[in-house]
Structure formats: structure tokens, C-alpha cells
Amino acid sequence: MKLLFIASEVDGLVKTGGLADVAYALPKALQEMGHDVRIVMPAYRQIQDLWQEWPAQSLDCKLSFFNTVTVHCRRGSHESLPVIAVEHPASFDRPGIYDDGNFAYPDNALRFGILSKAALDWCQQEGWVPDIVHGNDWQSALTGFYLAEHFGQDPFFEKTRSVLSIHNGAYQMHCDAGWLAQLGIDQRFYRPADFEDSGHLNLLKGSLGFADGVTTVSPGYASELITPMGGHGLDHKYRALPEPLVGILNGCDYDQWNPETDPWIAAKYATIEEDGKAKCKQSLQKELNLEPNPDTPLLGSICRLVDQKGIHLMIPVILKLMQSHDCQFVMLGSGDENLANQLTYIQRQYPHRFHFFNGYDIGLSHRIEAGLDAFLMPSVFEPCGLNQIYSLRYGTLPLVREVGGLQDTVVRLSQSQRNLKTATGFMFQELTEEALLAETERLLDVYKNKPSQWRSMQHNAMQQRFSWKKSATAYERFYRRLLKSAPNQHPLLTRMATEAEATG
Ligand code: ADP
């Protein structure tokens, strides 16, 4: 199949979150299966050194009748994956990817609208007919809309089907309806059934009605998105999809996340019996200026500092742990300044037992995964989550909330503890500080008082494999199903086509 993958970030080039991991690993796995995959992404300033060496081709990106934007498509590759970087300095030559450090760029809808449309225009210019165009999150959701609306009658794309993957349904891009015209979204689609959302334009909401197929990154999250509680206000849209929403669990890139080969960590290890993991813990304690005690349980977390990650639960629990338990805690993250200040405050109080690294540091994230005893992920919601999967591979037991992809990837130690042969971590349900604290205390009890149980859970955890090949095979099956079926017939588009025919 010819697969065009459109993404706003790609691991190894530009990354702010899990979307980047998928946008690299999934195309790679599909390519390894023999498909012709190409990635379209913005030519950001941050990777200029790379793409400025690539040959450029001028392209007129026709967003609307009166808004044609000239871009340059730079063709190169990233680790054997063909990449088309869309160069449009007014949009992508900026200090940030999505924001200026404080505020989202006000023209984000247009910036990524250009990306979404240029991907299709590039195919036409090249004469390369994709079987599937695969958009990801709101940033490239419009590709499916443009395919259906702008190119609906174009024989070039007659056989092409569009897929939209939801990596985080909370981010939808609400913006002023004034952008409609520049984006080439006909006013008729600005209605509650499509792009209109409480007086604003909602790009994800509207785009959901045009994709031929919609997927998300875990079965658990798929079942949440169709509920009023878990659908981020769009549950009715997910329920109304012509092809039911499919949850395909993300894989893990074990080329990067493997304690046997990881170049970032202090000592490599293949099993928990070797002293590698203990050395990693010792080295992490030293690096972060924590008391060098091998028996003190070392817990931690790595995440964007946003409400979604349950930091507001973690902060009071960390304080209680510091006050009344013998343990250490490491936190790596950046984001919300208020949350960062609270974490900095705890560090000042307990400098040798709590460490907060305010920033984004890939090497440190690997050393934390290897050095911790347990990894906390008390997310409010979690589409898939990657760090709990990495943790399993490093024999670092995850403690997660029973939501989304977390419940699909961690096997909780039951209350009776009879499932020791399969348990890989700890899980709690209620979104309260008390519930998180109770499960953390349970974890600490197993760590301190039942070392053989802890060890057997580490064994189970390290044997888990979430292969991208398996995920890619599921996507491949989904693509083939779409290719065999008729395109999604948006009712308004059908009516508009009939009216146009009637008026000649
Ligand atoms: P999300 O996409 O919601 O941020 P995921 O768990 O799916 O959450 O993916 C987050 C990815 O970003 C992981 O690979 C994680 O290790 C990485 N990450 C998040 N914050 C940091 C940070 N401060 N430093 C290094 N890596 C980080």
C-alpha cells in the first residue's frame, strides 16, 4: 500500500509527547512490512539544519478559492523513512512548535491547516496516489476533510481513503470562526453537526465527520471516548462514526527502550538477577543528589506537567510520603508553572529525598526508567501512555490509574495477591488523593516486606512485549478494510453534490 502519514511531530526530529513516538515507530513498522510509507511534517526551525540540505520543490497549496499559500516541499529522509518537510517560514520558522512558551500561537489552525492540505497537494503534484492518508490529532485532522470536500470529485483520489488517529481527544483546536474562510471550510459546515462548537470553530469535531476511518491508541480509551464522561465533549461524534471507532494499542520502540542496550544508562542488564538495575539506581541517586541508600524505595514519574497527568493528586501524596514514609521520589517534567513551583517547594524541603528536574531531558528520562523501583502514573485520563510500557521493560513496576491504555497494559496485583504469576504492577480506580496514597502504601509494603513477590512481578514485567509489528498489523488490517468499502458519505456533501447536479 502507499501510505501517507501526516504528523506535527516525529520522534528523533521534533517531539513534545507520545504522538511523536507513534509518528516515527508506526510508519517504520509499516515500512518494514513492505509498504511504501511517507511522512509529511512541518519544516520547523528546530530541524532546519537537516531539511535545508534537502531538495525543495515549490507547491501552491490551495486552501480556499482566494487563499493559495506557496510552500516548499523538502524531500529527505529520517532513518530510512521518506519525509516531506513542508517549508512555510511564516508558519514554521518560530521559536516554538505550538506555542511561544506561554501562549499557543494564535494562528495554529491555519499553520496546521496548511500542513494538512499541502500533504494532498504534494501527492497530486508528484502524481503519487496514496491508498491511505493518515492524519493524527487535530493538527492533521483536516486532511480527511480536504480529501472529502476539496477533492471529493477528483478522480486522482478516487480510491484514496482517510484515517484519523486520536492520540489525545482533549486537544481539539477551538478557534474563532473567522478562520473558516482562510482554511477553506465552507460556511455551510459551520453548524453544530460539523465544525461549530458553542460559537467556535472546532477542528477535531468537524473533521471526525469526514474521515473514512477513525482510530485511537488503545481499546480502553476507545471505549471511554464514546461515553459522556470520557469523550471530551465529542462522545456523540465518536458514537456516530460510520465505521466504529477502533482502539489499536501503541507499541514500544524497543530499539530505544531496552535495558540490555540502552546507551543512556549507567549499567546494562538483561534480567533482574544481574546487578545492573541496582547500579542504575545507585547512579541515579548520586546524579540527583539523593541519599545513597540502596534499600530505600525509589519512586518517580516523568510527564508533561498538565492536569491530565494527575499531578494535583501526586503532589499531596508526595508530601505525605516525605513526611511519614521511608522513600525517595524523582520527578521529571515541564509545563504548568504553578505545578512546577509546588514541586520546587517540596524539593527545597526534602533535598536529599525528593528531586524535581524542571525541563525536558531524554537521557535523564532513560536513567530514571532504569533507576526507579516504581513509576507512578495516576492520570485523569490516558489515551495509551508510554512510560508505563517503558517501565515494564526496565523492571520498574508501574502504579497506574485504571483508565484508557493504562488498564490495557498493566496487570494489577490483585488484593488477594493470588495472581503473582501474571501481575506486573499496581492499579487504583478512584480519582482521589486517598486512593492514590493507599495504593502507593500497598506498593511500599510489597517492596519492603515481600521482596520475593516484588521480584516475581519484576520478572513478569520485563517479559511483557508491546511490539509495533503487532500494532502495525492491526492498522494494516484496518486500512485494507477501508479500501474495500465505499468512502464515508457525509450527508451534507452528498446533498451539495445532488444540488450541483440539479443546477447543472
Ligand atoms: P503524552 O503524549 O500525553 O505526553 P505519553 O506517555 O504518551 O504522554 O508520552 C510521553 C512521552 O514523552 C514519553 O516518551 C516520555 O518519556 C516523554 N516525556 C514526557 N516528558 C518528558 C520530559 N520532561 N523529559 C523527557 N521525556 C519526556
Side-chain angles (χ1 to χ4, degrees), residues 15-19 21 168 257 302-304 308-309 332-334 359-362 365 377 382 384-388 390:
K15 170 169 166 175
T16 72
L19 163 62
D21 296 76
N168 191 327
W257 297 95
I302 304 168
C303 60
R304 292 178 294 120
Q308 179 205 332
K309 301 293 176 183
L332 166 62
S334 58
Y360 193 94
D361 188 323
I362 292 176
S365 74
M377 239 168 138
E382 194 60 72
C384 178
L386 289 168
N387 280 108
Q388 84 281 14
Y390 305 153

Side-chain angles (χ1 to χ4, degrees), residues 412-417 425-427 437-447 450 454:
R412 76 144 64 94
L413 178 65
S414 63
Q415 287 299 334
S416 66
Q417 306 199 351
F426 299 82
M427 204 178 282
L437 182 63
E439 196 60 20
T440 310
E441 284 175 338
R442 186 164 171 251
L443 176 151
L444 291 173
D445 175 56
V446 177
Y447 180 87
K450 297 159 190 149
W454 186 271

Side-chain angles (χ1 to χ4, degrees), residues 55 96 103 126 159-160 181 199 251 267 269 278 400 416 442 454 489 499:
F103 299 102
E126 277 294 300
K159 296 208 167 74
T160 303
Y269 55 98
V400 302
S416 66
R442 186 164 171 251
W454 186 271
Q489 299 288 341
E499 281 167 13

Side-chain angles (χ1 to χ4, degrees), residues 137-138 141 164 166 168-174 191-198 200-209 214 221-222 224-241 245:
D137 277 346
W138 71 262
L164 172 57
I166 309 296
N168 191 327
Y171 300 103
Q172 301 172 6
M173 178 41 86
H174 292 89
R191 54 176 198 161
D194 289 304
F195 285 96
E196 198 262 338
D197 186 357
S198 311
H200 281 86
L201 172 57
N202 180 332
L203 290 192
L204 184 66
K205 180 183 178 219
S207 300
L208 282 169
V214 180
Y221 193 50
E224 288 168 11
L225 282 176
I226 55 173
T227 66
M229 273 285 281
H232 312 285
L234 299 183
D235 50 298
H236 60 292
K237 296 291 291 182
Y238 292 112
R239 284 196 301 273
L241 294 172
L245 175 66

